Each structure stands twice: as C-alpha cells, then as structure tokens.
Amino acid sequence: MSTPPLASGPEGSSALRPLLDTVLEALRDGRRARGGPLPAGGPDAVAARLRTAVADVLPDHGDPDALRTLVHALTAGAADPADPLCAAHLHCPPLAVAAAADLAVSVLNPSLDSWDQAPAASELETLVTGTLARLAGLADALVTTGGTESNQLALLLAREAHGGSVRLVHGANAHHSLPRAAWLLGLPEPVVVPAPAGTLDPAALDEALTELHGPLLVAATAGTTDAGLIDPLPEIAALCAAHGARLHIDAAYGGGLLFSDRHRPALTGLDAAHTVTLDLHKLGWQPVAAGLLAVRDAHDLTVLHQHADYLNADDDTEAGLPDLLGRSLRTTRRPDVLKIAVTLKTLGRTGVAALVDQVCAHATRLAELLEAHPRFELYDRPTISTVLFRPAEATDDTVADLRRRLLHEGRAVLGRTRLDGRLWLKATLLNPHIRPEDLAGLLHLVEGTTPR
C-alpha cells in the first residue's frame, strides 16, 4: 500500500481536489437522502442506519470509499441548521466563506501554543481579538471554544483578581455553565437572584448585594438561551459599581447585536463589564467553535501566564518570539480566528449587521403571524431572534408530544422551554435565508400536528 498523501506540502492541493469533490457530492447526496431538517425515525432508527453504513470502524484492510460512505452517512443523519424548519437551538448555519476558511486551517494545522507553530496565525489572532474587543468597548479578548469556556475563564479571572476567592451572584435565568464553572473552580455556592420576568430583577440584586459580604462577581445575561432576553444591563452595572462588585456579562447570544446600528442599543451598558462572553458560532454564522472572552483590563490576563521551556523559553521571549501560553487555558489549539477574520473582512461590519437585522426581522414577522393566528399563543415579542409559542389551550403534555412527533418524523426541529410555569415551543431563527413562506409553513406544519 502506498503512503497516503498529505493535505499540505507540494502535492497537497492536487491530493485534496478530488477528495473535496467526493465530500461535496456526499454532502449533496446525503442531504437528498435525509429529505428534511432531521433524519426520520428517532434515535434508534438513526443509530441503526449509521451502524449499517459504518460497519467495521477499524477493518483489517482499508476501504478506499470510506470518505464518501461516512460523509454521506453523517449528512443523511444530521440536523441541518440551514433548513428553515431546523430552528430549535442557537445552532447557526455557517457561511460558506467561513467554512472554506476553516478548510485552510485544517490543511495547514497550526497550533497556537508557540510562535514557531503558528507565526502568521498568532499575529492574525492579535489583530482580530483586538478589533472585536474594541467593538464591545473593552481592551482585549481571548479566543475560546464558546460560551462555556468563556464563562469559566471569566470566573477564574475574577477569582484571581480577588486573591483566590470570589462568590458568584447570578440570575435564575443564567446559563448553566456559570454555576458549573463555580463548582469546577471550587468557589462557594452561587447566590441565585430571581428573574421573575425572564430577566434578572435589579431590586432583588440590590438586596442580595447589600446582604452579602466579601468579593462578589455578578453575572448578567445578554441573550438568554430560553427566550433571548437581555437583562437590564445599565441598572445592573450601576448596582455593581455602587456595591463594589465585579461584573461579567454573558453575551454569547446577544453579543452579535454589536454589529448592528439598529440593534446595538439593546446592549447599552455592556462596556461597563469587567469581562464579556461573545460567541460567533451563534449570531456570527461561524462553524463551531468561535467563542471569545473580552476583558476591560488587559492586565487581568497576566494570571494565565505559564512557562514551558520547550514552548516559551525565557531567552526566546527576550529575543522577541511571542509568548502564546498566556492567551488560553488550552495548550494545543487551532486558529479558529481565521474563519472569523475572513468573514469580517469579506462582509464588513455592515454586511454582518445586515445578517443580524435579517434574522431579527424574521423573528418579528413570525411573532406577527402568531399574534394573528387564532390557534396559537405567543409568549412575547422577540428581543433578538427567539420566538416562544404554543398551540392555544394545549396542555404541556400535548406541547411536549407535538415537538417529539415532529422530531421523530424528521419534519421540524423546534426547541422547548418552561417559562411562567408553562411549556413553550421555541423557534430560534438564525438563518438569514428564511422566506416568509417558510415561517407560514412552519405554523401550518405545527397546526396540522396538533390534536384537535
């Protein structure tokens, strides 16, 4: 057997070209085989089809058609976020230009743990993180794998800024990664502040901050995962300043509004935070992963510095080789910044803003359709691009069964969330290519699935 070709090097392009054709054909054929936003049949049927396609994962002798077979199988069994009826989660359809840029990263395979593994990528990361930090009104930013890592890193920086101990105070609407991060870091049990209308209650926060003692970190949310709501950031920032508490804002969802002149005012107060979570594989249309943590004081990042002689020897650093180990909690990490940089430069701020404005407008349109429809109940007008609704007079069990039936049949992917003591269907609209007829079709499909 001949030695398989490499993706890079003198022969890399020639070796990749026919393989890319194979991948694109398998993606096309797999999508046709799936026929909708989700494979039909539920977990058991999907697992059985995949196992049949894969057969032996590690055969004695290789299969030259494995690339086509496995890409086809994965595509046929995928949830496709580019389908208008796939709208359950903060799971965006990536832009073609971003996915193409990601291929270059896979081919070159730089690792951002030392300059000699990623000379240009390290400088590109500096340029892009600085630009995005300034967009948020902050000083610097680190690239992360997403909101969970960013939130954990924010708690770590707060703990170290306060000499090794800090207590987290967050709303009942906060992302689950925040209390989990407190647990992982050995911090005291977090204080949970009520969020009766889906957003953190400033009066309850003021009361909690008045009663608590010691270093405190308040975590606010700009874009909740259940309804896309934004906490009253200016009021929260003022309370933190008055009580001497540090402020973190989880804007993994809502941070994308920064690009839009129309929607940016919803994030007023963001620049008062000490740290901010951003996530461009949501309202940024990037392939996973594309997270960031922005910081107001770049000095806070010095606590992340680590020394490993084979990566950042003192004499190398003194000689001018950049030290990258303080830019992440990870060692080996791919330059996810390239796809972000390509997207920003290709579309410009106004181009990204147009995508943000489009999905927010789609959500408003869906809400209007629901308000005018006698067989549906709308939870509220959308703040970003999430719309909650339910069939009128349906029980929670009916709502849950309806959603599972659509999933099992592969006809639509809707989320679920519980607010005000009731279960709601959730449509998270992140596809800028959705058409008005797609929204009407979604309601028609749900209506036809609801028992009368």
Side-chain angles (χ1 to χ4, degrees), residues 216-282:
L216 301 173
L217 171 66
V218 173
T221 305
T224 58
T225 54
D226 53 9
L229 303 178
I230 297 175
D231 286 340
L233 303 181
E235 295 171 72
I236 293 171
L239 288 172
C240 288
H243 289 279
R246 187 178 173 99
L247 175 60
H248 170 65
I249 298 177
D250 179 0
Y253 179 12
L257 301 180
L258 288 169
F259 294 103
S260 168
D261 290 339
R262 181 181 304 171
H263 295 286
R264 182 187 177 99
L267 297 180
T268 298
L270 192 78
D271 57 355
H274 294 79
T275 51
V276 173
T277 289
L278 303 171
D279 199 343
L280 296 180
H281 57 244
K282 294 181 173 63

Side-chain angles (χ1 to χ4, degrees), residues 339-365:
K339 61 197 174 193
I340 299 173
V342 168
T343 299
L344 297 181
K345 191 164 181 63
T346 300
L347 274 65
R349 187 186 63 80
T350 56
V352 179
L355 299 180
V356 172
D357 293 346
Q358 284 169 26
V359 296
C360 291
H362 294 331
T364 298
R365 175 57 180 159

Side-chain angles (χ1 to χ4, degrees), residues 181-212:
W183 168 68
L184 284 170
L185 293 170
L187 300 179
E189 185 73 17
V191 175
V192 181
V193 175
T199 56
L200 192 153
D201 181 5
L205 176 63
D206 188 20
E207 182 179 348
L209 295 180
T210 300
E211 294 177 354
L212 293 169

Side-chain angles (χ1 to χ4, degrees), residues 364-382 387 389 443:
T364 298
R365 175 57 180 159
L366 178 58
E368 291 170 348
L369 291 175
L370 286 161
E371 283 182 320
H373 200 301
R375 295 201 66 211
F376 287 106
E377 180 180 355
L378 174 70
Y379 177 77
D380 201 356
R381 283 298 187 101
V387 181
F389 66 101
L443 297 191

Side-chain angles (χ1 to χ4, degrees), residues 65-104:
D65 205 35
L67 178 63
R68 183 187 307 276
T69 298
L70 294 183
V71 172
H72 182 281
L74 188 69
T75 306
D80 183 4
D83 189 294
L85 299 183
C86 188
H89 304 287
L90 289 164
H91 179 196
C92 75
L95 295 170
V97 71
D102 222 23
L103 171 64

